[in-house]
Amino acid sequence: MTAFVKVLPSGHEFILEGRSTLLEAGLRAGLALEYGCSNGNCGKCLARLVSGDVQKARHHDFRISEQQKINGHMLLCCNTTDSDVVIEAREASSAHEITQQHLTARVRDIRIVSDDVALLHLKTPRTQRLRFMAGQHVMLGGNDLPQAHYSVASCPCDDMNLHFQVPRSEQDAFSEIVFGDLKKGEKVDVTGPGGEFVLDEESPRSPVFIAWQTGFAPIRSLIEHAMSLEVVESISLVWIARNKDHRYLDNLCRSWNDALDDFSYVPVDADVRQDYLDIINVLTRQLGIGPDDLPDHDFFIAGNSGLLDHCQKALSANGLPVEQLFTDSLIHA
Ligand code: FES
């Protein structure tokens, strides 16, 4: 069963398959729909059916008034459809519109993937998920745990499973706990989201992502989000690390490169803290993006201040407009 859903006033469209709720299908398609509990309690996903029919997928405790029902109001998290519909729903158009949340998740898995990086998987309660935009960060810890900020390294479309790439650092007590005592099932508080390192979804330009080591965390979230948006024509990724071992998800990037026609992945060995890195040369020779092509792309760069300074200067000197450059230095690099 496949249905087309059009959202007003944005004009966004997505496909709903099977018995997914309107909310689940919209999030999977990369839309930043307004919602809270995902469970029929808070009413934040209240939307209006403009045309077509919906069917109730689950019971809800949130009370919709008789007048609202007459006007076509229904909850996106509790309704599905088997035919084409037009709905009027609230969507965030910028990171500022996502409200701060505080929730307690549990450790689902910790995987040490190199001598100084751990992949941390947290699972939220079904009734208290994290609404965020790809590329944003949160604060982990609190109560008995030290606190630290990390970028969410997963897609907002899977809001119960939050993934993080934690670099080990003596200055970051939370990371020492991840590499030491933190166990599966333990509670971790999550507060956020924050940050404006998000895609410009109205941009007609193709994105180029540049990551330094664990700067790959927000970049992975952005790439997975960009993949879910059908408007993105091509995606380029440059992952710079001291050596191959520090590109701890190299296989994932290669699988994107192999599976997707319009995806290009370039691994680069360099230590941006010491070495000279000719990013223009990398872009030109390995991605075919010369100085004349820069205005056709948006650049998303996540890494330490050395990488950000270097790339900013090089790209600006070659004519990249400043509004096409997005940077994130919120990592322990
Ligand atoms: S998200 Fe809370 S009622 Fe739908």
PDB file of all heavy atoms in Angstrom, residues 23 34-46 58 60-62 75-78 127, ligand 1:
ATOM      1  N   LEU A  23       3.252  10.625  10.704  1.00  0.00           N
ATOM      2  CA  LEU A  23       4.450  11.193  11.324  1.00  0.00           C
ATOM      3  C   LEU A  23       5.685  10.360  10.968  1.00  0.00           C
ATOM      4  O   LEU A  23       6.713  10.909  10.546  1.00  0.00           O
ATOM      5  CB  LEU A  23       4.281  11.265  12.846  1.00  0.00           C
ATOM      6  CG  LEU A  23       5.493  11.810  13.603  1.00  0.00           C
ATOM      7  CD1 LEU A  23       5.774  13.251  13.217  1.00  0.00           C
ATOM      8  CD2 LEU A  23       5.294  11.690  15.117  1.00  0.00           C
ATOM      9  N   GLU A  34       6.482  19.119  13.232  1.00  0.00           N
ATOM     10  CA  GLU A  34       6.329  19.405  14.662  1.00  0.00           C
ATOM     11  C   GLU A  34       5.745  18.177  15.342  1.00  0.00           C
ATOM     12  O   GLU A  34       4.755  17.605  14.883  1.00  0.00           O
ATOM     13  CB  GLU A  34       5.378  20.599  14.828  1.00  0.00           C
ATOM     14  CG  GLU A  34       4.976  20.904  16.250  1.00  0.00           C
ATOM     15  CD  GLU A  34       6.040  21.646  17.039  1.00  0.00           C
ATOM     16  OE1 GLU A  34       6.770  22.435  16.421  1.00  0.00           O
ATOM     17  OE2 GLU A  34       6.116  21.425  18.253  1.00  0.00           O
ATOM     18  N   TYR A  35       6.379  17.714  16.440  1.00  0.00           N
ATOM     19  CA  TYR A  35       5.819  16.608  17.219  1.00  0.00           C
ATOM     20  C   TYR A  35       6.492  16.568  18.573  1.00  0.00           C
ATOM     21  O   TYR A  35       7.472  17.278  18.814  1.00  0.00           O
ATOM     22  CB  TYR A  35       5.961  15.272  16.476  1.00  0.00           C
ATOM     23  CG  TYR A  35       7.363  14.702  16.447  1.00  0.00           C
ATOM     24  CD1 TYR A  35       7.720  13.658  17.292  1.00  0.00           C
ATOM     25  CD2 TYR A  35       8.331  15.186  15.574  1.00  0.00           C
ATOM     26  CE1 TYR A  35       9.004  13.114  17.273  1.00  0.00           C
ATOM     27  CE2 TYR A  35       9.594  14.652  15.550  1.00  0.00           C
ATOM     28  CZ  TYR A  35       9.936  13.629  16.408  1.00  0.00           C
ATOM     29  OH  TYR A  35      11.192  13.105  16.386  1.00  0.00           O
ATOM     30  N   GLY A  36       5.944  15.730  19.444  1.00  0.00           N
ATOM     31  CA  GLY A  36       6.522  15.599  20.783  1.00  0.00           C
ATOM     32  C   GLY A  36       6.655  14.139  21.175  1.00  0.00           C
ATOM     33  O   GLY A  36       7.668  13.507  20.962  1.00  0.00           O
ATOM     34  N   CYS A  37       5.559  13.565  21.701  1.00  0.00           N
ATOM     35  CA  CYS A  37       5.624  12.230  22.305  1.00  0.00           C
ATOM     36  C   CYS A  37       5.592  11.093  21.297  1.00  0.00           C
ATOM     37  O   CYS A  37       5.969   9.967  21.622  1.00  0.00           O
ATOM     38  CB  CYS A  37       4.454  12.072  23.268  1.00  0.00           C
ATOM     39  SG  CYS A  37       2.854  12.100  22.405  1.00  0.00           S
ATOM     40  N   SER A  38       5.112  11.327  20.109  1.00  0.00           N
ATOM     41  CA  SER A  38       4.912  10.280  19.082  1.00  0.00           C
ATOM     42  C   SER A  38       3.891   9.242  19.505  1.00  0.00           C
ATOM     43  O   SER A  38       3.832   8.150  18.935  1.00  0.00           O
ATOM     44  CB  SER A  38       6.221   9.525  18.764  1.00  0.00           C
ATOM     45  OG  SER A  38       7.215  10.401  18.421  1.00  0.00           O
ATOM     46  N   ASN A  39       3.114   9.554  20.516  1.00  0.00           N
ATOM     47  CA  ASN A  39       2.312   8.512  21.137  1.00  0.00           C
ATOM     48  C   ASN A  39       0.878   8.937  21.447  1.00  0.00           C
ATOM     49  O   ASN A  39       0.199   8.272  22.224  1.00  0.00           O
ATOM     50  CB  ASN A  39       3.016   8.118  22.445  1.00  0.00           C
ATOM     51  CG  ASN A  39       2.826   6.682  22.776  1.00  0.00           C
ATOM     52  OD1 ASN A  39       2.656   5.873  21.872  1.00  0.00           O
ATOM     53  ND2 ASN A  39       2.826   6.384  24.054  1.00  0.00           N
ATOM     54  N   GLY A  40       0.442  10.047  20.898  1.00  0.00           N
ATOM     55  CA  GLY A  40      -0.949  10.442  21.104  1.00  0.00           C
ATOM     56  C   GLY A  40      -1.254  11.142  22.410  1.00  0.00           C
ATOM     57  O   GLY A  40      -2.423  11.255  22.792  1.00  0.00           O
ATOM     58  N   ASN A  41      -0.222  11.619  23.109  1.00  0.00           N
ATOM     59  CA  ASN A  41      -0.462  12.256  24.408  1.00  0.00           C
ATOM     60  C   ASN A  41      -0.351  13.769  24.405  1.00  0.00           C
ATOM     61  O   ASN A  41      -1.088  14.448  25.095  1.00  0.00           O
ATOM     62  CB  ASN A  41       0.520  11.707  25.445  1.00  0.00           C
ATOM     63  CG  ASN A  41       0.176  10.302  25.845  1.00  0.00           C
ATOM     64  OD1 ASN A  41      -0.975  10.017  26.142  1.00  0.00           O
ATOM     65  ND2 ASN A  41       1.150   9.419  25.800  1.00  0.00           N
ATOM     66  N   CYS A  42       0.608  14.321  23.652  1.00  0.00           N
ATOM     67  CA  CYS A  42       0.936  15.738  23.818  1.00  0.00           C
ATOM     68  C   CYS A  42       0.149  16.664  22.887  1.00  0.00           C
ATOM     69  O   CYS A  42      -0.008  17.848  23.174  1.00  0.00           O
ATOM     70  CB  CYS A  42       2.430  15.958  23.611  1.00  0.00           C
ATOM     71  SG  CYS A  42       2.975  15.717  21.901  1.00  0.00           S
ATOM     72  N   GLY A  43      -0.287  16.187  21.759  1.00  0.00           N
ATOM     73  CA  GLY A  43      -1.037  17.018  20.813  1.00  0.00           C
ATOM     74  C   GLY A  43      -0.179  17.896  19.930  1.00  0.00           C
ATOM     75  O   GLY A  43      -0.694  18.652  19.107  1.00  0.00           O
ATOM     76  N   LYS A  44       1.151  17.802  20.068  1.00  0.00           N
ATOM     77  CA  LYS A  44       2.007  18.707  19.288  1.00  0.00           C
ATOM     78  C   LYS A  44       1.974  18.416  17.790  1.00  0.00           C
ATOM     79  O   LYS A  44       2.334  19.261  16.992  1.00  0.00           O
ATOM     80  CB  LYS A  44       3.450  18.612  19.793  1.00  0.00           C
ATOM     81  CG  LYS A  44       3.647  19.286  21.135  1.00  0.00           C
ATOM     82  CD  LYS A  44       5.104  19.294  21.508  1.00  0.00           C
ATOM     83  CE  LYS A  44       5.285  19.984  22.845  1.00  0.00           C
ATOM     84  NZ  LYS A  44       6.606  19.770  23.408  1.00  0.00           N
ATOM     85  N   CYS A  45       1.575  17.214  17.416  1.00  0.00           N
ATOM     86  CA  CYS A  45       1.561  16.873  15.984  1.00  0.00           C
ATOM     87  C   CYS A  45       0.189  17.130  15.359  1.00  0.00           C
ATOM     88  O   CYS A  45      -0.067  16.647  14.250  1.00  0.00           O
ATOM     89  CB  CYS A  45       1.977  15.424  15.780  1.00  0.00           C
ATOM     90  SG  CYS A  45       0.762  14.269  16.425  1.00  0.00           S
ATOM     91  N   LEU A  46      -0.640  17.879  16.067  1.00  0.00           N
ATOM     92  CA  LEU A  46      -1.984  18.145  15.540  1.00  0.00           C
ATOM     93  C   LEU A  46      -1.882  18.812  14.164  1.00  0.00           C
ATOM     94  O   LEU A  46      -1.171  19.802  13.991  1.00  0.00           O
ATOM     95  CB  LEU A  46      -2.749  19.060  16.504  1.00  0.00           C
ATOM     96  CG  LEU A  46      -4.244  19.215  16.216  1.00  0.00           C
ATOM     97  CD1 LEU A  46      -4.995  17.917  16.533  1.00  0.00           C
ATOM     98  CD2 LEU A  46      -4.829  20.368  17.044  1.00  0.00           C
ATOM     99  N   ARG A  58      -3.617   4.228  15.847  1.00  0.00           N
ATOM    100  CA  ARG A  58      -3.518   3.895  17.277  1.00  0.00           C
ATOM    101  C   ARG A  58      -4.408   4.838  18.082  1.00  0.00           C
ATOM    102  O   ARG A  58      -4.744   5.939  17.633  1.00  0.00           O
ATOM    103  CB  ARG A  58      -2.073   3.968  17.770  1.00  0.00           C
ATOM    104  CG  ARG A  58      -1.465   5.347  17.822  1.00  0.00           C
ATOM    105  CD  ARG A  58      -0.271   5.388  18.778  1.00  0.00           C
ATOM    106  NE  ARG A  58       0.835   4.564  18.327  1.00  0.00           N
ATOM    107  CZ  ARG A  58       1.899   5.034  17.680  1.00  0.00           C
ATOM    108  NH1 ARG A  58       2.005   6.320  17.419  1.00  0.00           N
ATOM    109  NH2 ARG A  58       2.870   4.234  17.318  1.00  0.00           N
ATOM    110  N   HIS A  60      -5.434   7.508  20.967  1.00  0.00           N
ATOM    111  CA  HIS A  60      -4.714   8.631  21.581  1.00  0.00           C
ATOM    112  C   HIS A  60      -5.492   9.178  22.768  1.00  0.00           C
ATOM    113  O   HIS A  60      -6.726   9.183  22.785  1.00  0.00           O
ATOM    114  CB  HIS A  60      -4.428   9.734  20.557  1.00  0.00           C
ATOM    115  CG  HIS A  60      -5.626  10.297  19.855  1.00  0.00           C
ATOM    116  ND1 HIS A  60      -6.428  11.263  20.415  1.00  0.00           N
ATOM    117  CD2 HIS A  60      -6.140  10.042  18.630  1.00  0.00           C
ATOM    118  CE1 HIS A  60      -7.371  11.582  19.545  1.00  0.00           C
ATOM    119  NE2 HIS A  60      -7.234  10.842  18.460  1.00  0.00           N
ATOM    120  N   ASP A  61      -4.712   9.598  23.767  1.00  0.00           N
ATOM    121  CA  ASP A  61      -5.314  10.205  24.963  1.00  0.00           C
ATOM    122  C   ASP A  61      -5.534  11.699  24.772  1.00  0.00           C
ATOM    123  O   ASP A  61      -6.360  12.297  25.468  1.00  0.00           O
ATOM    124  CB  ASP A  61      -4.415   9.985  26.192  1.00  0.00           C
ATOM    125  CG  ASP A  61      -4.439   8.521  26.628  1.00  0.00           C
ATOM    126  OD1 ASP A  61      -5.454   7.845  26.344  1.00  0.00           O
ATOM    127  OD2 ASP A  61      -3.435   8.070  27.212  1.00  0.00           O
ATOM    128  N   PHE A  62      -4.782  12.320  23.885  1.00  0.00           N
ATOM    129  CA  PHE A  62      -4.971  13.759  23.660  1.00  0.00           C
ATOM    130  C   PHE A  62      -6.377  14.000  23.119  1.00  0.00           C
ATOM    131  O   PHE A  62      -6.833  13.307  22.205  1.00  0.00           O
ATOM    132  CB  PHE A  62      -3.939  14.277  22.660  1.00  0.00           C
ATOM    133  CG  PHE A  62      -4.063  15.743  22.395  1.00  0.00           C
ATOM    134  CD1 PHE A  62      -3.550  16.667  23.290  1.00  0.00           C
ATOM    135  CD2 PHE A  62      -4.728  16.195  21.262  1.00  0.00           C
ATOM    136  CE1 PHE A  62      -3.683  18.023  23.055  1.00  0.00           C
ATOM    137  CE2 PHE A  62      -4.866  17.545  21.026  1.00  0.00           C
ATOM    138  CZ  PHE A  62      -4.354  18.467  21.927  1.00  0.00           C
ATOM    139  N   LEU A  75      -4.240  13.735  14.583  1.00  0.00           N
ATOM    140  CA  LEU A  75      -2.859  13.631  15.050  1.00  0.00           C
ATOM    141  C   LEU A  75      -2.028  12.838  14.037  1.00  0.00           C
ATOM    142  O   LEU A  75      -2.388  11.718  13.671  1.00  0.00           O
ATOM    143  CB  LEU A  75      -2.805  12.945  16.420  1.00  0.00           C
ATOM    144  CG  LEU A  75      -3.503  13.678  17.560  1.00  0.00           C
ATOM    145  CD1 LEU A  75      -3.464  12.835  18.840  1.00  0.00           C
ATOM    146  CD2 LEU A  75      -2.858  15.040  17.814  1.00  0.00           C
ATOM    147  N   LEU A  76      -0.913  13.418  13.640  1.00  0.00           N
ATOM    148  CA  LEU A  76      -0.057  12.731  12.660  1.00  0.00           C
ATOM    149  C   LEU A  76       0.503  11.424  13.209  1.00  0.00           C
ATOM    150  O   LEU A  76       0.736  10.480  12.467  1.00  0.00           O
ATOM    151  CB  LEU A  76       1.117  13.643  12.261  1.00  0.00           C
ATOM    152  CG  LEU A  76       0.766  14.948  11.548  1.00  0.00           C
ATOM    153  CD1 LEU A  76       2.041  15.752  11.294  1.00  0.00           C
ATOM    154  CD2 LEU A  76       0.051  14.673  10.241  1.00  0.00           C
ATOM    155  N   CYS A  77       0.733  11.376  14.538  1.00  0.00           N
ATOM    156  CA  CYS A  77       1.361  10.178  15.110  1.00  0.00           C
ATOM    157  C   CYS A  77       0.359   9.050  15.324  1.00  0.00           C
ATOM    158  O   CYS A  77       0.762   7.947  15.702  1.00  0.00           O
ATOM    159  CB  CYS A  77       2.064  10.506  16.424  1.00  0.00           C
ATOM    160  SG  CYS A  77       0.968  10.894  17.791  1.00  0.00           S
ATOM    161  N   CYS A  78      -0.922   9.310  15.080  1.00  0.00           N
ATOM    162  CA  CYS A  78      -1.935   8.277  15.353  1.00  0.00           C
ATOM    163  C   CYS A  78      -2.754   7.930  14.128  1.00  0.00           C
ATOM    164  O   CYS A  78      -3.740   7.184  14.237  1.00  0.00           O
ATOM    165  CB  CYS A  78      -2.875   8.753  16.464  1.00  0.00           C
ATOM    166  SG  CYS A  78      -2.050   8.942  18.039  1.00  0.00           S
ATOM    167  N   THR A 127       7.964   6.748  24.459  1.00  0.00           N
ATOM    168  CA  THR A 127       7.081   7.902  24.630  1.00  0.00           C
ATOM    169  C   THR A 127       7.837   9.214  24.825  1.00  0.00           C
ATOM    170  O   THR A 127       7.228  10.246  25.087  1.00  0.00           O
ATOM    171  CB  THR A 127       6.171   7.696  25.856  1.00  0.00           C
ATOM    172  OG1 THR A 127       7.007   7.409  26.980  1.00  0.00           O
ATOM    173  CG2 THR A 127       5.204   6.567  25.618  1.00  0.00           C
TER     174      THR A 127
HETATM  175  S1  FES B   1       3.460  13.709  18.886  1.00  0.00           S
HETATM  176 FE1  FES B   1       2.402  13.828  20.768  1.00  0.00          FE
HETATM  177  S2  FES B   1       0.358  13.521  20.169  1.00  0.00           S
HETATM  178 FE2  FES B   1       1.445  13.201  18.341  1.00  0.00          FE
END
